[in-house]
Amino acid sequence: MNRVRIPMEELMPLLLLQLSHGPANLPVTGSSMHPLLRSGRDQVVLEKLQPLPHKGHPILLYLRENGDYVLHRLVRRKKDGLLCCGDNQWQPEPVRADQVVAVVTGFFRKGKFYHVNHRGYRMYVWLWSAAFPVRRPFLAVRRWLGRLRKIRRRKTK
């Protein structure tokens, strides 16, 4: 099956139209939501945003001031907006509620569907969100181990 890549600025009007009628699937691009979602492999199921849930850490699709659409997790609510951050990042960015376009209600990971109410996913969100204060050193160690693995592979070839 051939895949066609469409820039988000061209895709967004179609996505918004679909969201006005029901859920929409969107392939994941980029690495900001690793380890949960991988570019080119996984898809998210988006639904039009109703009022944000009062608890939890949903994944939101929002429009940045520079025009980029981003899929990041809600880390914290503030009086003047939201703080969102990718699972593979440690610096949250402020987001206004009016920038949020949709919320992830499920995802296809390696072809298998998971709803956001799935017990394993909820446990992942709880652990990953609780570890937010120590995420920066954790991700640094993970990157360092990945580099070591690459070096080791090169030596064995």
Side-chain angles (χ1 to χ4, degrees), residues 118-143:
H118 184 274
R119 184 182 319 171
Y121 172 74
R122 287 191 347 239
M123 185 179 299
Y124 165 83
V125 171
W126 183 82
L127 286 169
W128 205 242
S129 299
F132 187 76
V134 295
R135 192 180 292 178
R136 184 176 187 171
F138 173 78
L139 292 173
V141 168
R142 196 174 96 192
R143 269 192 303 280

Side-chain angles (χ1 to χ4, degrees), residues 48-110:
K48 192 172 182 180
L49 185 68
Q50 303 302 323
L52 272 176
H54 293 293
K55 61 180 186 173
H57 301 278
I59 300 172
L60 305 174
L61 176 67
Y62 60 91
L63 177 63
R64 281 185 174 152
E65 297 288 337
N66 67 4
D68 290 342
Y69 286 91
V70 182
L71 198 62
H72 281 172
R73 185 175 308 284
L74 173 61
V75 178
R76 192 168 9 132
R77 291 162 178 80
K78 296 173 58 175
K79 276 191 254 183
D80 58 341
L82 312 167
L83 288 178
C84 294
C85 188
D87 287 358
N88 196 29
Q89 300 175 331
W90 60 85
Q91 289 184 319
E93 66 179 293
V95 177
R96 294 184 324 272
D98 65 319
Q99 291 175 270
V100 179
V101 176
V103 63
V104 173
T105 57
F107 55 92
F108 290 90
R109 186 170 195 240
K110 297 181 184 177

Side-chain angles (χ1 to χ4, degrees), residues 4-16 69:
V4 178
R5 292 188 66 110
I6 301 171
M8 270 308 267
E9 56 270 5
E10 292 177 30
L11 180 63
M12 214 48 212
L14 297 172
L15 183 64
L16 291 173
Y69 286 91

